Amino acid sequence: MTEAAELPPAPEQAREVFGERFADAVRYAELLAEAGVQRGLIGPREVPRLWERHLLNCAVLSEAVPEGVTVCDVGSGAGLPGIPLALVREDLNITLLEPLLRRTNFLTEVVELLGLDHVTVVRGRAEEVMGKLPPVHVVTARAVAPLDRLATWGVPLLRPYGEMLALKGDTAEEELKAAATALTKLGAVSTSILHVGEGVVDPLSTVVRVEVGESPGGVRFAAKRAKAARTGRARRRR
């Protein structure tokens, strides 16, 4: 039986980034290293690099998120980037969207344990909840899917003039080029690549930003969204 990898002490940067929530960040890291590994939410090899590669890498996404907005973390998995973002930004109203029950159970436990009152866990796929969840200002995602496919799930959840922020790696520029046509059809009006986390993470975290106009998801999803809204109103009247 392979011995479990040990969680290293939190780096000094974590104290600076998480501030008053540092102790909660440590508890979350411990939960990932223990229950997260046991339940198959993260691989045991990730434990030694949980702080740099996962918690801090996700927390610095906050640099790109406007103040006081609503956020939907699509395919939240073990809560990355949604929970680190919630720990550093209590001004945000965050929904962790995840289709798998074992993951949503873990997320619910973490949210309750850490007292994250500004976070809601929703079980479902992005394409299923459109029209059921209020449109958000910002959609976040990390390691969910290639950008073109991710955009078909995330962009329709946005409100007009919202933005999708996707944490990506070295392939960010290539993915953005490959997804250009699909993004335009989905109503994107501007795209860019940001590098965040100066002085916190090395290498910097790479974020693909997709900004939409007045029709998130384009014409196809406008009709789908309207149909979902009508269905929701009909159910409420019963």
Side-chain angles (χ1 to χ4, degrees), residues 1-44:
M1 186 174 180
T2 306
E3 189 176 339
E6 187 175 340
L7 176 68
E12 195 57 38
Q13 295 95 318
R15 291 184 180 275
E16 299 170 13
V17 170
F18 291 104
E20 293 180 359
R21 284 283 196 169
F22 173 69
D24 290 326
V26 171
R27 186 67 188 117
Y28 176 50
E30 292 170 347
L31 289 167
L32 287 174
E34 297 162 7
V37 171
Q38 292 165 7
R39 301 187 197 182
L41 303 182
I42 67 163

Side-chain angles (χ1 to χ4, degrees), residues 131 222-237:
K224 193 172 181 180
R225 190 182 293 107
K227 181 180 179 181
R230 287 195 301 272
T231 302
R233 286 195 297 270
R235 284 175 180 162
R236 287 193 293 271
R237 283 197 295 265

Side-chain angles (χ1 to χ4, degrees), residues 7 19 38 40 45 49 66 72-73 82 89 130 141 144 149 159 172 175 187 199 221 231 237-238:
L7 176 68
Q38 292 165 7
R45 292 182 181 179
R49 51 185 185 176
C72 182
D73 189 32
R89 293 286 301 275
M130 189 178 65
V144 173
R149 202 183 329 152
R159 57 186 291 166
E175 284 193 51
F221 285 97
T231 302
R237 283 197 295 265
R238 289 174 187 170

Side-chain angles (χ1 to χ4, degrees), residues 18 20-21 24 68 85-94 114-118:
F18 291 104
E20 293 180 359
R21 284 283 196 169
D24 290 326
L85 184 61
L87 287 170
V88 297
R89 293 286 301 275
E90 294 192 27
D91 60 298
L92 304 176
N93 188 330
I94 300 176
L114 302 185
L116 298 174
D117 297 333
H118 57 306

